[in-house]
Each structure stands twice: as C-alpha cells, then as structure tokens.
Amino acid sequence: QSALTQPASVSGSPGQSITISCTGTSSDVGGYNYVSWYQQHPGKAPKLIISDVSNRPSGVSNRFSGSKSGNTASLTISGLQAEDEADYYCSSYTSSITWVFGGGTKLTVL
Amino acid sequence: EVQLVESGGGLVKPGGSLRLSCAASGFTFSNAWMTWVRQAPGKGLEWVGRIKSKTDGGTTDYAAPVKGRFTISRDDSKNTLYLQMNSLKTEDTAVYYCTTQRSGSFEYWGQGTLVTVSS
C-alpha cells in the first residue's frame, strides 16, 4: 500500500488560511469516509484534529476543517497562528483492511 | 483522563526480538480497538497493526512490512496492549506509539517508546 501524497511543505502568514491536500486512490481516500488528520509538534506524539473526513474532536479549534472530493482530502487551517507550526499527517482506511498515512506536510508560519 | 504509557523499547540486534507494552487507563480498555503506529527517525507515520476488542472478535490485522514477524495481543485483565516483534530488521528502528481507535481514527496516543535495531 503506497503512502498518501501530501505536499512536503506549506507556509502562510499569521491570520491567513492554508490548505493541505492528501491524495490517494479509490481504494483508500476515495472509497471510504475514514480520512483523519493529525498534528505533530517536534518531539511530541501526534494529536487527532479531524476524524471521518470533517469531524472535529472535542477541544480542537474550529479554525481546523476537513473535506474530501473524489480521491483527494483537504485540511484547511484558517486564521493561522504561530502555534499551528507543526507537521500534519493525513490517514485513510484502505480496501486491504489496513490504514495508510500520508508522507506529512511541514507547516511554517512566517 | 485517558493515558497510554508505552514501555519495553531499547537496543536490539538484527534478527532479535523485543516485546513492547502499552498500559492503558482512563477508559474501558476491554471495549477498545487498539493500534500500533511507528515513526522512523526524521520520517513520517506508519501504521503497524490493530487488534479489535474481544467482543468484536479480537482479530488482528497487520501492515505488509511486519506481517508474519509482529504479533499484537491484549490482556484486558491488566488493561495492557502488547506488540511482540521478532526477526527484527534495521528498518524497524522507530518510535512506536500505541493508540486507541475510534471509527477510522487514532484518537488517543501514548508518548511512544524508541526501538533501535542495530549491530
């Protein structure tokens, strides 16, 4: 199972919005609504920020939102803040009864 | 408060074995599906495998790179998840995280334990 495709890096200024894409196939992202997103700060464990394509767990800022179209899922962060600088990973269930992650995207807040 | 605490990591030679543990608290462990995810140094996340709750059959599924070498098990009486790793390779070097699984997401994560496979 190949990793999902994410851009290696994105950047934005405080207050701006950015979008991170996550591209898979009809056997994973496109076939199931089990896409999730994780935020990871350096040296820390990942944290779930979006589940099931677009659901925000309790306690996660409403500046984070998720969506999906076809084989591509997206994470949008609005009103960028310095604390959003981190690595972001998408994940999807697959038809092989496994899960696959994206390669990760490093977000830099300028 | 949900807590997951991994232990058992360390340095092991190629071909060796290691067993990781994950002590869980703050939720009904016996009802939870549990997952192991790993992260090689400086690299991304990689799903390792999952075990369902016993009420859902207690079955396991594994990623292709570890299938046949790694075994996930659970002891609900001890609220503990295990990962038995055999025939270890240098490419298994990573921080190993245990997570709870809710629907298709990995909801809560431990702090991770480092496994280094090197001669």
Side-chain angles (χ1 to χ4, degrees), chain B residues 23-36:
Chain B
S25 61
F27 63 102
T28 306
F29 180 76
S30 60
N31 290 345
W33 292 23
M34 300 295 295
T35 293
W36 287 97

Side-chain angles (χ1 to χ4, degrees), chain B residues 1-47:
Chain B
E1 178 195 4
V2 171
Q3 280 203 318
L4 299 169
V5 180
E6 301 94 337
S7 61
L11 176 64
V12 60
K13 288 182 167 52
S17 297
L18 207 58
R19 188 178 82 157
L20 306 183
S21 300
C22 171
S25 61
F27 63 102
T28 306
F29 180 76
S30 60
N31 290 345
W33 292 23
M34 300 295 295
T35 293
W36 287 97
V37 175
R38 68 184 181 182
Q39 186 170 34
K43 301 296 185 183
L45 301 173
E46 181 183 21
W47 182 81

